[in-house]
Amino acid sequence: MDDVTEPGFNRTGAQSSPLSVHSMQLYADERVPEEVSAPDEMPDGREIAAVRCDYAVEAERIGSVPMPGVLTSAFTAALSKLGARKPEVLVDKLGERLAFERIGVRLYQALIDKASALATQQRMPFSVDDLQRLRDDELAHMHVLASALDSLGADSTAQTPAAAVSALAISGLMQVLTDPRTTLVHCLEAMLIAELADNASWDLLISLTAEADQDQFLPQFHSARDSEKAHVRQIRGWLQTVVLGEAS
Amino acid sequence: MDLLENKGVPIDKQSLTWKDMAGKPISKLDDEAFTRVRIILMNALELDALRLSHVGARMNGELRQSLAEIRRVEQHQATAVNGLLSADHSPLETTIAYEQVAVEVTAAVAQREPDPYLAQVYRFGLLEDFDHLYRYSALLDRLEGKDSNNILQGHTDIAPGRPTVDGHRAPVDDLRLPYGRDANFLTKLHATLITAAECQTHDYYMTIGPMFADPVARQLYAEIASVEEQHMTQYGSLLDPRQSFLELWLLHEATEVYGYYSCARSESNPRIREMWERFCDYELGHLHHVCGLFRQYEKRDPAEVLARTLPAPLEFKSQRDFVRDVLAAEVDLRANGVDFVKLARESPVSREYRRRINADGSPSTRVATAYHWTSGTELNRSLKAA
């Protein structure tokens, strides 16, 4: 497969069948439902919003944060300082980052597989070794987070609600990376989405950890965030190089 | 429960709204794994009821109206039941749950099955579904970075069974001997139940397999869907082909009553238990309608087909010890026609079939190469070792 963007016979637009589309538009215009939206409204309708609102009000939550029967002394001491604050928020977010870093390992592995396949066909602004280093960083971060959860007495193997939801959000990225038809550009764009979210989430986790007086984790968390910032720079730079190179 | 006395809810009083059908789902994280198992099993039975009903309607003009009326309610029941699975289950996580159903329910059935030949059939199929669970767990870990035990909740082991690569057989070696006319009522319920579960699993894999972008996943679903088709053939051939359509329909409705009754007896979530109880009453209504048709068209007493009372409820609990014992004793069994034989006596037709279908390699072997399930995913292993 050529890893390039090419012109061709894309059939999805109106211009590919202008007479048919003109006729379709006239027919649809004749049969407009009576409850059509006012011109100044978003056209998707009030009824959809009403259903979503009803369900959102009545819904039960995705799930709960598993808390240990007995928290470790480090955590209980901090809890006493936290007063009414909820330790489950920190555990939930630690679980989320752990799940994200773990899927990050698998995302980078998929990118490595793709890059290895394309390496013989095109010049790339990075080597497979570069990607392996990024993958290994994700693995190291995952272990930092698992250790943090374990040291708090929480269960690092549980899926927290935030972890479940972030897995849902990221599932499309894995589809992009593992599709044999996607190009390097598609894959780098997917990785950029993941890394940007990861960066922002590390910032938030660091703030939350500091708030919860869990300072023992902060040096490793700062180091992980710095490394994620470097990942964003690298991915962004590679993406720019590949896209501009292809366009020129 | 007295099946012939308890009339349930009349069909014209059975109705669900769209909101009933798209109701509140369970929590993937907080509800018990066996609540999910029950949902998947009952969805399977409802979908199989639709399958049977449509086939019956093609061949029985005089029954078409009754079939259409009951089918409409059952389609709505299926929608309501399947809608209980929350959308944060990825298709692959749901797959893990499907295989948990196949392992735990088949193991429960195998132990209570009164007919020794059918019990052997269930044990044979069980070891293949156990292996599917292992292969899909590897895919879940290596594609989505997730631990399948988040779904299994410690009830079901994750280890190789009879290797999927060896489970591909020629069609002639998937046929089994049917139960006879004088078969125990429970035998008939079991065969209907397990056939329905396997049909649903097959159809689910056929639907979601192509939704994966990853060719590794697409190949694995293609391979395991093919084995599920074999299982449909195997379990479907347990049903006595001399039974009339009305007899099959009657049995199916009785199996649905049995399923909902068993679910209601074991359900831990009160909201879901309410649904099991409501639908158990609906199924009793269907059963009694079909009893009337049976008397009218076959001039026979439904008691010839049904027992008056339901057997003890189906067990929804971990069958770990039984599964481990079966695996240790029977993993090397193979099929030769309708018989189960030692490895060396496996049918040469199946060996040849396997040689051809595995000619480009084995997806189930590739995806799980060196896979060693570890709590928290295999990436956790280096942490544990440290």
Side-chain angles (χ1 to χ4, degrees), chain A residues 51 55 58, chain B residues 13-26 39 72-85 260 271-272 274-276 278-279 282:
Chain A
V51 174
Y55 271 73
E58 293 173 10
Chain B
K13 300 277 187 268
Q14 301 184 4
S15 123
L16 289 90
T17 66
W18 307 126
K19 199 165 179 184
D20 291 334
M21 288 182 244
K24 287 183 193 175
I26 61 164
I39 290 166
R72 179 64 51 85
V73 179
E74 294 196 315
Q75 198 271 348
H76 292 172
Q77 289 176 254
T79 309
V81 171
N82 204 31
L84 292 173
L85 289 183
Y260 282 122
R271 181 167 61 81
I272 310 298
E274 246 176 58
M275 184 182 282
W276 302 145
R278 177 184 181 189
F279 288 173
Y282 278 23

Side-chain angles (χ1 to χ4, degrees), chain B residues 57-334:
Chain B
R58 291 183 189 186
M59 296 182 278
N60 296 279
E62 69 283 4
L63 298 176
R64 282 185 178 177
Q65 186 177 337
S66 287
L67 283 165
E69 284 172 3
I70 292 183
R71 197 166 58 232
R72 179 64 51 85
V73 179
E74 294 196 315
Q75 198 271 348
H76 292 172
Q77 289 176 254
T79 309
V81 171
N82 204 31
L84 292 173
L85 289 183
S86 56
D88 55 327
H89 288 83
S90 72
L92 192 42
E93 286 177 309
T94 302
T95 298
I96 297 294
Y98 271 52
E99 294 298 346
Q100 185 170 38
V101 172
V103 171
E104 299 299 351
V105 175
T106 310
V109 161
Q111 291 169 87
R112 290 188 54 211
E113 172 54 49
D115 182 317
Y117 177 74
L118 271 78
Q120 173 68 84
V121 173
Y122 297 129
R123 295 198 303 275
F124 186 76
L126 162 68
L127 296 188
E128 297 183 343
D129 288 319
F130 184 79
D131 194 71
H132 299 168
L133 176 58
Y134 166 70
R135 310 281 156 184
Y136 280 129
S137 293
L139 182 65
L140 182 72
D141 193 334
R142 293 172 170 181
L143 181 65
E144 296 188 8
K146 292 176 185 162
D147 177 0
S148 61
N149 190 51
N150 291 154
I151 299 295
L152 301 171
Q153 298 178 3
H155 297 299
T156 313
D157 287 334
I158 307 157
R162 179 178 303 119
T164 298
V165 65
D166 294 335
H168 308 299
R169 289 176 290 277
V172 67
D173 294 319
D174 284 322
L175 294 172
R176 305 288 170 250
L177 295 172
Y179 57 70
R181 281 200 184 284
D182 54 350
N184 188 295
F185 182 45
L186 183 60
T187 291
K188 296 176 186 176
L189 296 180
H190 281 165
T192 307
L193 186 75
I194 299 297
T195 302
E198 294 290 332
C199 288
Q200 175 192 230
T201 305
H202 168 264
D203 292 358
Y204 182 69
Y205 295 170
M206 293 291 282
T207 304
I208 65 156
M211 293 180 185
F212 286 86
D214 190 350
V216 175
R218 291 165 80 95
Q219 282 199 2
L220 184 64
Y221 275 94
E223 184 182 4
I224 296 185
S226 174
V227 181
E228 301 300 352
E229 155 56 28
Q230 295 180 222
H231 285 185
M232 287 164 72
T233 300
Q234 162 169 285
Y235 294 124
S237 64
L238 296 176
L239 306 175
D240 181 358
R242 293 167 300 180
Q243 295 170 119
S244 68
F245 172 72
L246 265 168
E247 213 170 328
L248 281 172
W249 190 10
L250 202 54
L251 270 175
H252 209 287
E253 296 298 349
T255 309
E256 291 165 64
V257 173
Y258 179 58
Y260 282 122
Y261 170 72
S262 300
C263 289
R265 290 292 292 269
S266 54
E267 183 57 62
S268 55
N269 181 328
R271 181 167 61 81
I272 310 298
R273 190 188 317 124
E274 246 176 58
M275 184 182 282
W276 302 145
E277 288 166 352
R278 177 184 181 189
F279 288 173
C280 186
D281 284 341
Y282 278 23
E283 295 303 339
L284 283 163
H286 302 167
L287 180 69
H288 281 275
H289 184 88
V290 183
C291 281
L293 297 171
F294 194 70
R295 290 188 197 96
Q296 180 185 349
Y297 289 104
E298 300 217 349
K299 315 291 183 208
R300 293 165 65 193
D301 184 350
E304 290 175 31
V305 178
L306 308 175
R308 179 164 279 282
T309 53
L310 276 181
L314 183 65
E315 275 193 326
F316 292 99
K317 66 171 197 180
S318 173
Q319 308 291 344
R320 188 193 315 283
D321 292 343
F322 174 75
V323 176
R324 286 182 184 178
D325 290 346
V326 173
L327 189 62
E330 300 185 8
V331 69
D332 286 336
L333 280 189
R334 295 293 183 269

Side-chain angles (χ1 to χ4, degrees), chain A residues 14-45:
Chain A
Q15 287 179 12
S16 66
S17 47
L19 294 177
S20 296
V21 171
H22 179 66
S23 162
M24 284 166 68
Q25 191 62 66
L26 288 177
Y27 186 67
D29 291 348
E30 282 170 19
R31 300 180 64 84
V32 175
E34 285 176 10
E35 67 278 14
V36 68
S37 305
D40 57 342
E41 271 187 322
M42 284 289 286
D44 62 339

